[in-house]
């Protein structure tokens, strides 16, 4: 938010390389280290989204493939947000090479 962007390679837990600074009408905060950071994983350049029928309004199968640069633990989520898409209720086929 507010112009913050994540690095392409993700963020390591409590990495001291990150700093913060603020210049605002109400005052400034000099550049200094961020005390703690939460890790954020990365797919770098590997994500691929493909459709069997790439036509608007037509039924299609969708494949989202990626190679994570981090461990994805049981219970963690990956959310693929596709505005304007919908699907019928029913089972969703999700598989991975490490957990088919």
């Amino acid at each position: 938010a507010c112009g913050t962007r994540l690095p392409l390679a993700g963020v390591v837990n409590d990495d001291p390389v990150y700093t913060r600074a603020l210049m605002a009408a109400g005052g400034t905060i000099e550049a200094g280290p961020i005390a703690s950071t939460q890790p954020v994983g990365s797919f770098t350049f590997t994500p691929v989204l493909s459709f069997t029928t790439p036509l608007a309004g037509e039924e299609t199968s969708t494949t989202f493939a990626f190679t994570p640069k981090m461990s994805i633990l049981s219970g963690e989520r990956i959310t693929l947000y596709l505005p304007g898409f919908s699907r019928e209720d029913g089972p969703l086929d999700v598989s991975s090479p490490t957990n088919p």
Side-chain angles (χ1 to χ4, degrees), residues 4-83:
T4 303
R5 287 183 277 168
L6 289 172
L8 184 61
V11 175
V12 179
N13 191 43
D14 294 333
D15 192 335
V17 72
Y18 300 105
T19 61
R20 50 89 182 117
L22 176 70
M23 291 187 293
T28 61
I29 296 175
E30 296 296 322
I34 295 177
S36 77
T37 57
Q38 286 191 321
V40 177
S42 172
F43 303 142
T44 51
F45 298 107
T46 66
V48 175
L49 181 62
S50 60
F51 305 93
T52 55
T53 308
L55 297 171
E58 296 294 322
E59 187 173 305
T60 187
S61 292
T62 306
T63 300
F64 177 54
F66 60 89
T67 303
K69 292 187 57 99
M70 69 294 188
S71 297
I72 299 174
L73 303 176
S74 177
E76 290 186 313
R77 283 189 245 171
I78 296 170
T79 302
L80 177 63
Y81 180 63
L82 299 172

